[in-house]
Structures are given as structure tokens and as C-alpha cells.
Amino acid sequence: MDVKNILSAGLSLASMGLVFGAGLAFASQKFAVKKDPKVEAVYNVLPSANCGGCGYAGCMQFAEAVVRGDAKPNGCPVGGDPVAEKIGDALGVTVEENEKMVARVLCKGDKDHCAIKYEYSGLESCISANMLESGPKACSYGCMGKGDCVSVCQFDAIHINEKGVAEVDYEKCTACGACIEICPKDLIELVPASQHVVVDCKNEEKGGFVKKNCDVACIACGICERSCPFDAIHVVNNIASIDYEKCTQCMICYEKCPTNAISADETKKMVAFIEEENCIGCSLCKKRCPVDAIEGEIKGKHKIDPEKCIGCGECIEACPKDTIIMKNI
Amino acid sequence: MENASIFVILVSSILVNNFVLSRFLGVCPFLGVSKQVDTSIGMGMAVTFVMTLAGVITYMVQYFILVPLHLEYLQIVAFILVIASLVQFVEIVLQKISPTLYQALGVFLPLITTNCAVLGLAILNIDDNLNLVQTIFRSMGGAIGFALAIVLFAGIREKIELSDVPKPFKGFPIALVTASLMSIAFLGFQGLV
């Protein structure tokens, strides 16, 4: 009796499974959809997390979008660069690596530079401080240093420095954007990690007014705009902004800025140098140089005046013999 | 329930005993696929199809296989087998017939497999001793009720998207609050049948 029970249970379920399985097999033959083999290839290298971080419903949808050309091969945030490379291999294209970005607090107006409007003694939160007359700082665009960004950062990458302004630890920053979201002053922006020439100010008020409140603010004088050899910095809405695509980090704007609102890393100041034995005297570098720092006759050896050179790197691109190198000073 | 007319069964399963809003079955897809009316209509249709077929087939499985062989205790296993194969079948067919709908549903289509509303409906049908005709209409009614609830909900959520919701309530919390209010509203149908 027991054996019969087990048999009948097992057999009936097995036969049901068999019937359904056969039906499915038939259906998949009958309704087979021809798929692009590339989709399969891309899908196989994806992490299969189906997390939706790429903006598509799942990994399969992302793979289809990549093959269609709607999504970029480096669009998978979970897989990162290794997966992007594998997708590139599967599709036979080269994948540009995403440039690493970091968050940057665009304010230098610490307590040495920016005046205080009133003494704030409320809740230690930027959002509530911001509700009282746009915060205790004289500059209503400045960092109030109450640390909302610090508490929201999961990576311990942002801190209030001893002078009361938030500062990002660029080594730890993952550009997740949490601090950008929370900052009530909209002061934090993503900047390429290699970019050290940055306008550290967001004040859009008129110059004279700004200057009364903070002495490291951008006063929109336009000197940087006029002195930039690459048309990479422009004053829009009373604030200078750098086009990071065009900027060569020559630091001219940094040197010319009367209020020091533009920051740069001086240890990264470079000058170009021509290795004379390989110079053929084609003079291409001389024509390209935006500051006339290169001297020399055609067919003669050329020289770069390190005093004039701004280290923009234009001559390196122009040189057909690859004989110009950058040197740190 | 034995002699209840088809009309009463339909009204009861669509409005009074709505699967999502008064039995709280199938809440996962109800919250998951209700961001846009378009996809929610698709989901509603897919669920309607699966539920109706599942109701009929599970009825047959119950009375032609399980009862004669005295295997009623295998009900849940057998029904899940039926539902899983059905969902697979729908997925294959959808991919061929309507790739757009297939894409819009994404991972939620396979999730119907584990949708407790489908299994719940199949088991409730058997528990209530319905005959075949009643089963068909009960299944259809339940499925239409699900579709109705999810489409209404998606419509409300689309409106909420545009309105100024306090920050702590943004996204999921307000959706849950909305769902509970809808559930209370559906309580008003209680006296109908």
C-alpha cells in the first residue's frame, strides 16, 4: 500500500512534468525568436545581478541596448571597467575608460576669508542653518560647514576642515553623488580627478558686493577669460567656469586671478623641454605655441624659454619627432 | 457559493474580494510594476491570461488527477508546476508576439511564477467547491480585479510623481500609503454581495 502510494504520487507528478515540459519544448520551437548572437555574448559577460543600476530592467535588456547602440559598453556600474573591456571584446570595439571623477566642494571661504553675518546656535545641520537668512555666512553661496555632507558620506571621504569648510578626500571619494544631493547650497560638483585647476566659488552676485563678504570669491572680473590661451574659461552669470575638455591646466588663470578664487596644484606645474639632438627644426611647435615661448630658426635647433612656457602641452602634440617632453619644475 | 450566479461571482471577485486590495495576495508585482500605466496594463493582461488558464488547468489537475488518485496533499506542488510551466509558456509566446510588451515587463514576467495571487486563486477555487464554469469566471474575475487594481494604482502613482510629496515620503512610502488608502476604499464594496 505504501509503495503504491509513493509510486502513484511520483508517477503522476512526473508525467505531469513530462507533459508540460514537452509542451514548453514544442512552444519554444514553434515561437522561436531569432536573437542577435551578440546579445547573448554581451549578456554572458555581465554580472547577472539584474540590479537595474544601468537604468534598464535587467542585464538582458542592458545587453540588448548595448548591441542596439543605445547604451554604452561601459554603462554597467557593477562590473566597472573589467566588464566594459569584456563587452568591448565581445563586440569588437575598443572601450574608452571612464575618467575617474571626484566630488569637489566649490568654496574656499573659510573663517579667515569670509565674514560672518550672525552667530548661529541652532541644530547642527546645513539644511536648518540655511533656513535662517540663508545661513550664518555673509556670503549666501558659501559652505556653512555644518556637516550634512559628512554624515551622508558612506566612504568617510568628506570632512569639515579646521577652518569650517567641507573638504573632500579625493583618494577615498567614489563620486557616488550623495553629498551633491544633500548640499542645500548646491556647492559640490563632480570634477575629473586629474583636474586640479578649478574655480572654487559659486557666488553669482556682482563683484563689488561679493568682495565685501569674502576675499577669495570670484568677482567676475574676466581677467581669466581674457588671459586663457585656450578659450577654456568663461564668466557666465558672474562666475567663472572652466570647460574641462578644453583646459590644459596651464595655470595662467590661477596666476592671474586677483582674488585667488581659482585653485591649482603648484607642484604639478610643468614646462616643456626640447631634446635638441632629435629636433629637425621644422618649426611646427613654434607656430603652435600660444605664448611664443619657443625660439629658433627654421632648420635650426629650437629652444623653449622656461620662463615663458606655461606647460600646456600643445607643442608636444605638434612635434612630428616626439622630441618634446614635459618636465616638472 | 455552490449555486451562486456567474454575475455574483464576477462582482465578488473583481470588487468585493479583490485579490490585491482585500486579500492582500500578489502585492509584489502590484508595487513593482505600477510606475507607469502602460506597463501596468501589460502586467495586468499577462496576469489575467496566466490566472484564467491556471484556474482552469488546476481545476482539471485537481479533479482528474489528484482526487481519483487520492493525492490531494500534493495540491500545492502540482499547482506550482502548472503555474510555472504556464508562465514559461506565456513568456515564450509574448517574446514572439509582442517584444515591446516583453521588454516592458522585464524581470516581472518570470516573477508571476511566484505570484501568490495565482496560486492563492487556484487553491481558493478548490476550497470553495466551485464547478468548472464557476471556476472559469472566478479566475477571470480575480485576474480582472488584479488588473483593475494595478492599473488604477499606476494611474495614481503617475499623478503622485508630479506632486510635491514631503521628502521622507517620496518614492516607496507614499506608494504604500496610497495602496492602503485604496484598500480602505475597496472596503466600501463589502456590502455588495
Side-chain angles (χ1 to χ4, degrees):
Chain A
M1 186 59 193
D2 277 336
V3 178
K4 209 179 153 196
N5 263 342
I6 295 170
L7 262 185
S8 66
L11 278 180
S12 57
L13 271 189
S15 52
M16 270 168 68
L18 203 66
V19 171
F20 291 139
L24 280 182
F26 175 71
S28 70
Q29 294 268 312
K30 175 109 182 161
F31 293 99
V33 179
K34 271 195 191 145
K35 268 200 169 173
D36 196 335
K38 280 190 210 155
V39 174
E40 198 72 11
V42 173
Y43 180 71
N44 285 338
V45 297
L46 289 173
S48 299
N50 283 320
C51 63
C54 52
Y56 292 89
C59 290
M60 186 47 107
Q61 283 72 27
F62 173 69
E64 279 163 8
V66 168
V67 173
R68 270 203 313 275
D70 292 350
K72 284 194 173 163
N74 53 12
C76 177
V78 177
D81 285 338
V83 164
E85 209 171 285
K86 280 190 209 155
I87 295 176
D89 287 345
L91 295 178
V93 293
T94 44
V95 180
E96 58 205 83
E97 275 189 26
N98 276 338
E99 195 177 6
K100 187 183 187 283
M101 304 288 273
V102 288
R104 186 173 178 122
V105 182
L106 302 184
C107 179
K108 293 209 282 190
D110 49 34
K111 50 184 172 193
D112 298 347
H113 297 291
C114 187
I116 296 291
K117 198 158 40 180
Y118 63 88
E119 207 57 56
Y120 175 81
S121 59
L123 200 63
E124 277 294 298
S125 148
C126 301
I127 291 171
S128 54
N130 193 32
M131 284 174 184
L132 282 174
E133 271 287 298
S134 302
K137 277 241 164 101
C139 167
S140 57
Y141 291 82
C143 174
M144 297 171 288
K146 301 291 172 211
D148 281 10
C149 49
V150 178
S151 53
V152 86
C153 181
Q154 290 179 35
F155 305 97
D156 192 34
I158 191 164
H159 295 283
I160 307 296
N161 63 17
E162 66 274 17
K163 287 179 177 170
V165 166
E167 228 177 53
V168 177
D169 181 341
Y170 302 123
E171 292 289 305
K172 288 182 184 166
C173 179
T174 62
C176 69
C179 52
I180 297 174
E181 191 96 333
I182 198 97
C183 180
K185 299 285 196 194
D186 228 355
L187 265 180
I188 310 178
E189 269 178 19
L190 286 185
V191 172
S194 59
Q195 181 80 23
H196 59 89
V197 180
V198 178
V199 182
D200 274 334
C201 183
K202 291 272 273 187
N203 195 317
E204 291 176 3
E205 290 160 335
K206 284 265 191 294
F209 189 72
V210 177
K211 214 162 181 189
K212 258 186 262 164
N213 298 328
C214 177
D215 56 19
V216 287
C218 174
I219 53 172
C221 61
I223 290 177
C224 50
E225 188 171 358
R226 287 193 291 279
S227 60
C228 180
F230 307 101
D231 192 37
I233 186 162
H234 291 282
V235 177
V236 185
N237 279 344
N238 289 325
I239 180 84
S241 75
I242 295 177
D243 181 346
Y244 301 130
E245 295 273 308
K246 287 184 184 168
C247 178
T248 62
Q249 317 213 57
C250 69
M251 302 197 205
I252 286 189
C253 53
Y254 162 72
E255 281 155 11
K256 292 268 166 79
C257 181
T259 59
N260 237 344
I262 302 175
S263 310
D265 186 351
E266 282 197 44
T267 60
K268 289 188 180 155
K269 177 84 186 167
M270 308 280 258
V271 287
F273 179 78
I274 299 176
E275 287 170 328
E276 279 189 13
E277 61 264 34
N278 287 333
C279 178
I280 53 170
C282 65
S283 211
L284 286 175
C285 52
K286 191 175 168 183
K287 281 179 198 145
R288 188 81 168 261
C289 181
V291 289
D292 288 329
I294 304 180
E295 289 162 6
E297 295 296 311
I298 292 185
K299 298 218 170 133
K301 302 287 178 195
H302 283 58
K303 247 188 173 175
I304 297 177
D305 182 354
E307 289 294 304
K308 284 188 189 166
C309 178
I310 53 170
C312 64
E314 290 283 311
C315 49
I316 296 182
E317 272 177 39
C319 182
K321 299 299 273 183
D322 287 334
T323 186
I324 306 179
I325 49 164
M326 279 292 192
K327 276 190 174 173
N328 222 327
I329 43 170
Chain B
M1 210 71 186
E2 199 119 13
N3 299 313
S5 74
I6 287 162
F7 177 73
V8 173
I9 288 180
L10 272 182
V11 171
S12 136
S13 52
I14 294 176
L15 297 176
V16 183
N17 291 317
N18 187 295
F19 269 86
V20 182
L21 296 172
S22 34
R23 287 191 202 268
F24 308 116
L25 292 170
V27 174
C28 163
F30 177 67
L31 292 170
V33 204
S34 55
K35 274 193 186 137
Q36 284 167 15
V37 172
D38 288 349
T39 44
S40 73
I41 290 176
M43 185 71 184
M45 271 159 49
V47 171
T48 308
F49 182 70
V50 172
M51 256 185 167
T52 315
L53 269 184
V56 177
I57 295 180
T58 49
Y59 178 87
M60 303 210 175
V61 167
Q62 172 78 13
Y63 289 110
F64 295 128
I65 299 177
L66 298 183
V67 173
L69 293 172
H70 305 291
L71 292 172
E72 286 91 343
Y73 60 92
L74 282 179
Q75 199 185 42
I76 291 180
V77 183
F79 285 6
I80 284 185
L81 188 64
V82 171
I83 293 165
S85 336
L86 257 180
V87 171
Q88 278 299 315
F89 182 72
V90 172
E91 195 174 348
I92 293 169
V93 173
L94 257 191
Q95 201 175 1
K96 177 81 178 178
I97 293 174
S98 168
T100 354
L101 184 57
Y102 176 76
Q103 251 173 25
L105 291 176
V107 292
F108 287 101
L109 193 58
L111 278 183
I112 303 180
T113 315
T114 47
N115 184 342
C116 50
V118 183
L119 182 65
L121 170 105
I123 292 176
L124 280 172
N125 279 345
I126 307 297
D127 284 356
D128 289 345
N129 286 321
L130 301 182
N131 63 32
L132 184 57
V133 180
Q134 286 172 326
T135 302
I136 293 173
F137 283 97
R138 168 57 131 14
S139 311
M140 245 163 64
I144 291 169
F146 179 87
L148 178 77
I150 196 171
V151 172
L152 285 180
F153 188 53
I156 298 176
R157 273 183 86 171
E158 273 190 359
K159 292 264 180 216
I160 288 176
E161 201 73 5
L162 301 174
S163 51
D164 185 21
V165 179
K167 209 172 178 189
F169 283 102
K170 267 201 180 124
F172 232 58
I174 193 72
L176 288 173
V177 171
T178 316
S180 68
L181 288 178
M182 274 181 77
S183 171
I184 293 172
F186 267 66
L187 209 64
F189 291 119
Q190 214 66 348
L192 265 183
V193 175

